């Protein structure tokens, strides 16, 4: 394959991988927002749990097992939400250093670490095969970043589903206990 075509293909692939990274960042930001909203609802329900406990105790009801289960589910959902938030935050920030020992003309850290004149000379004297090689390293590094981001977004989403389920179960038990009052 001729080198100019290789460069065109490499730029297209790099652009697609960078779009995937942006998509993962958007999903992670969305998950952070959803998780924080659910966390505030969950923490807000703490006063309802407290109110139910006080009301039951004042009327002499002993629903120990139900109450313990509701509290455990509440704490579990709280822990899961915090874990999901952590995974979403880490999804928005994975980065790595270039795998190449050689200075790349496309990797922003290498560009920033090189003074302007040195970078300019390197770029001007760059052969097409060196440009293709540099792009290949950049594509590979960005693909690792995209894969990591999507794996963490998937984990955050999976944990969020369980957090939501446990929070709903906790609220249902609390609601059932409040009907006794």
């Amino acid at each position: 394959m001729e080198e100019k075509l290789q460069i065109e293909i490499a730029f297209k692939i790099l652009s697609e991988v960078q779009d995937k990274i942006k998509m993962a960042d958007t999903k992670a930001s969305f998950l952070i927002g959803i998780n924080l909203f659910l966390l505030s609802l969950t923490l807000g329900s703490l006063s309802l749990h407290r109110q139910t406990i006080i009301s039951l105790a004042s009327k002499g009801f002993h629903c120990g097992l139900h109450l313990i289960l509701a509290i455990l589910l509440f704490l579990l959902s709280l822990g899961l939400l915090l874990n999901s938030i952590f995974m979403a935050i880490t999804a928005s920030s994975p980065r790595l250093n270039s795998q190449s020992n050689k200075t790349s003309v496309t990797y922003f850290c290498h560009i920033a670490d090189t003074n302007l004149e040195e970078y300019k000379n390197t770029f001007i004297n760059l052969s097409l095969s060196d440009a293709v090689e540099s792009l290949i390293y950049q594509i590979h590094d960005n693909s690792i970043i995209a894969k990591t981001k999507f794996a963490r977004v998937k984990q955050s989403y999976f944990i969020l589903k369980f957090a939501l389920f446990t929070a709903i179960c906790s609220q249902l038990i609390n609601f059932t206990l409040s009907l006794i009052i």
Side-chain angles (χ1 to χ4, degrees):
M1 185 181 322
E2 86 177 55
E3 289 178 331
K4 287 184 180 184
L5 182 59
Q6 287 177 335
I7 286 182
E8 285 179 35
I9 292 170
F11 271 120
K12 184 175 175 23
I13 293 170
L14 182 61
S15 176
E16 289 174 7
V17 171
Q18 288 171 334
D19 287 344
K20 298 288 185 204
I21 290 172
K22 290 175 193 171
M23 184 188 310
D25 284 339
T26 301
K27 288 181 177 190
S29 296
F30 179 74
L31 278 169
I32 290 169
I34 294 284
N35 276 301
L36 289 174
F37 174 73
L38 291 174
L39 182 64
S40 68
L41 288 179
T42 302
L43 290 175
S45 73
L46 186 59
S47 65
L48 294 175
H49 284 293
R50 185 176 176 272
Q51 214 172 6
T52 303
I53 292 169
I54 291 170
S55 295
L56 286 171
S58 69
K59 296 189 179 192
F61 288 103
H62 298 288
C63 300
L65 184 59
H66 292 90
L67 198 54
I68 289 171
L69 183 59
I71 291 169
L72 287 176
L73 285 172
F74 170 80
L75 292 174
L76 180 61
S77 67
L78 190 63
L80 287 170
L81 280 172
L82 291 173
N83 192 347
S84 182
I85 290 169
F86 174 76
M87 292 308 295
I89 289 171
T90 59
S92 65
S93 61
R95 296 289 182 243
L96 55 87
N97 293 327
S98 177
Q99 302 280 327
S100 170
N101 294 331
K102 178 174 156 175
T103 300
S104 171
V105 293
T106 57
Y107 185 56
F108 71 95
C109 283
H110 288 177
I111 295 169
D113 290 343
T114 308
N115 70 47
L116 179 60
E117 282 304 312
E118 185 181 340
Y119 179 72
K120 188 170 128 182
N121 288 334
T122 302
F123 190 82
I124 290 170
N125 296 322
L126 188 67
S127 70
L128 284 176
S129 62
D130 288 342
V132 169
E133 183 180 344
S134 185
L135 284 170
I136 289 170
Y137 281 119
Q138 189 63 46
I139 291 166
H140 185 263
D141 288 348
N142 284 12
S143 296
I144 292 170
I145 291 169
K147 180 181 177 184
T148 303
K149 284 177 173 282
F150 273 103
R152 291 180 183 168
V153 163
K154 183 179 178 182
Q155 289 171 337
S156 177
Y157 179 68
F158 186 74
I159 294 167
L160 174 63
K161 288 191 293 188
F162 282 110
L164 192 55
F165 175 74
T166 57
I168 290 170
C169 289
S170 176
Q171 290 304 322
L172 286 174
I173 292 171
N174 190 45
F175 176 72
T176 305
L177 289 175
S178 68
L179 290 177
I180 295 173
I181 301 173

